[in-house]
Amino acid sequence: MDHTNHIRLSPEELTAEVLEGATIYDRDDSKIGSVNHVHGLGTSTQVVIDVGGFLGIGAKPVSVSASDLDFMRDEDGDVHAVTSWTKEQLKEMPEHMDE
């Protein structure tokens, strides 16, 4: 997927309404997860990504800073993100637990 023409999201757009459900891709454009939910707003947003599993079953939730993800909209307006993390690196992170 060529991301050069995709529109990057502004810090003000880093909200649950915009990000939840967004697909996360690695640098090789392989799907590595999807946004489950977020904590915070703007640049301090923590994004909880479901990694692994099949159709959402058995996925491991991990939390990363929104600054580690490059969120953008494609030509159809769908939000997605690219990260330098690999699927394996995300799977090795501690599991996110909501309190």
Side-chain angles (χ1 to χ4, degrees):
M1 178 182 313
D2 182 6
H3 301 283
T4 55
N5 292 324
H6 295 174
I7 300 169
R8 273 42 184 188
L9 299 187
S10 68
E12 294 78 26
E13 292 179 284
L14 301 179
T15 64
E17 294 80 22
V18 174
L19 302 182
E20 287 179 2
T23 300
I24 309 298
Y25 297 94
D26 65 13
R27 286 188 176 163
D28 296 325
D29 282 330
S30 296
K31 179 181 175 181
I32 60 173
S34 62
V35 176
N36 181 296
H37 62 280
V38 300
H39 296 283
L41 296 170
T43 55
S44 65
T45 301
Q46 287 293 308
V47 179
V48 179
I49 301 171
D50 284 339
V51 182
F54 181 71
L55 299 176
I57 299 171
K60 177 182 178 181
V62 298
S63 180
V64 299
S65 173
S67 63
D68 290 333
L69 303 164
D70 187 10
F71 281 101
M72 60 194 84
R73 291 184 195 278
D74 65 16
E75 294 85 356
D76 297 325
D78 295 326
V79 174
H80 62 282
V82 176
T83 184
S84 60
W85 295 100
T86 66
K87 186 179 225 177
E88 290 71 28
Q89 288 172 320
L90 290 175
K91 284 181 177 181
E92 291 174 5
M93 291 181 177
E95 184 171 352
H96 173 78
M97 304 292 263
D98 281 321
E99 297 176 8

